[in-house]
Amino acid sequence: MRWLLLLAWLSLVEAQAQEAEISGLVINHTITRTGNDFYRKFSERINDAGDLKANLVIKERPSARWGILIWVELENSTVYREFLSPNATSQDETAYRAADGVLNEISRRQVESLFADHIDMDKDEL
């Protein structure tokens, strides 16, 4: 009888551990001051919008010729990408516009997942 209770308890703990996923993180993988400023303003806008149901990663690649390529990844796919000039004065507007676009993409994906058919395959297998 004790083994049965122990197995039931272990299966309950395992089910709760699988459901406990951290979400709402915006991870900074920028290396320049312009990228860091973009990250800060982007994060402000995302946090002002409310609870984020996904994790985002902001990355950048500086280039002497083109400026700074900055992109935002959601579930290992790029949802926003743009070249930024290091001396541009409208970085705040660009970050806010990017955040709004990413929030729209997150909402679109959530609605799309409600109508997706996952009977034969798991979500990761698609």
Side-chain angles (χ1 to χ4, degrees):
M1 184 68 170
R2 287 184 182 178
W3 287 104
L4 185 61
L5 289 174
L6 180 63
L7 286 175
W9 181 77
L10 287 175
S11 64
L12 179 64
V13 168
E14 182 179 339
Q16 288 176 346
Q18 289 175 353
E19 292 176 9
E21 182 178 318
I22 297 174
S23 65
L25 298 177
V26 181
I27 300 169
N28 185 8
H29 280 220
T30 61
I31 54 176
T32 63
R33 182 176 179 180
T34 304
N36 197 23
D37 290 343
F38 178 88
Y39 165 78
R40 196 168 23 87
K41 292 298 180 180
F42 182 90
S43 297
E44 282 178 15
R45 185 67 159 214
I46 291 286
N47 289 332
D48 289 344
D51 275 347
L52 182 63
K53 301 290 186 210
N55 295 325
L56 302 172
V57 180
I58 300 176
K59 297 182 178 181
E60 74 171 330
R61 181 177 302 140
S63 168
R65 184 175 184 185
W66 302 106
I68 296 169
L69 174 63
I70 196 153
W71 68 95
V72 179
E73 292 182 354
L74 168 67
E75 297 173 357
N76 294 325
S77 66
T78 302
V79 292
Y80 174 81
R81 180 175 42 196
E82 186 172 349
F83 277 100
L84 301 176
S85 176
N87 55 5
T89 58
S90 64
Q91 296 293 344
D92 296 351
E93 294 174 16
T94 304
Y96 290 159
R97 187 172 19 92
D100 292 340
V102 169
L103 287 172
N104 287 338
E105 179 66 18
I106 291 170
S107 298
R108 187 190 67 75
R109 287 186 182 198
Q110 287 174 346
V111 169
E112 193 174 272
S113 72
L114 292 175
F115 295 106
D117 183 20
H118 298 291
I119 292 173
D120 292 336
M121 291 192 200
D122 194 22
K123 292 179 183 177
D124 294 337
E125 294 176 1
L126 292 178

